[in-house]
Amino acid sequence: MRHALVLASLVALLSPAAVGLPTAHIWKAHCKSCHGLDGKAKTLMGHKKHVPDMTTAKFIDDPKHTDQWMADAIKNGVPNTKMKAFGDRLDGPQIDALVAYVRALQHK
């Protein structure tokens, strides 16, 4: 687990494109419609569902938004929001890669 955290931290320093083609495809297939390609949620569904911009200081600096919180949100959904669970479609490494992808979007 420690190695996975180190790897995720290193990947977060890279551009989203460097995170990996499979992760970009997962993002486009499951996340883009609400969160947008850039994580800013400037999409029709993002506006409609009040999805937060994950690249803002408000989101990034919120102590609640840890990597574990994001992984749990992807896996189980977020209660009282429209964020649905993807744990039945994505495995642990794919979810970890998406968390790293979000962190990379934040450093763009």
Side-chain angles (χ1 to χ4, degrees), residues 10-21:
L10 290 173
V11 169
L13 298 174
L14 303 173
S15 71
V19 173
L21 192 56

Side-chain angles (χ1 to χ4, degrees), residues 81-95:
T81 73
K82 300 290 183 176
M83 175 68 184
K84 60 185 175 181
F86 289 93
D88 61 337
R89 292 175 240 173
L90 302 173
D91 62 24
Q94 290 172 316
I95 291 171

Side-chain angles (χ1 to χ4, degrees), residues 11 19 23 26 92-102:
V11 169
V19 173
T23 304
I26 293 169
Q94 290 172 316
I95 291 171
D96 291 342
L98 283 172
V99 171
Y101 191 88
V102 170

Side-chain angles (χ1 to χ4, degrees), residues 4 10 12 25 31 43 56 63 77 85 87 93 97:
L10 290 173
H25 284 302
C31 312
T43 65
T56 65

Side-chain angles (χ1 to χ4, degrees), residues 15 17 22 39 47-48 56 60 62 64 73 85 93-94 97 99 105:
S15 71
H47 289 291
K48 183 178 177 181
T56 65
I60 296 167
D62 186 330
K64 173 178 89 172
Q94 290 172 316
V99 171
L105 290 171

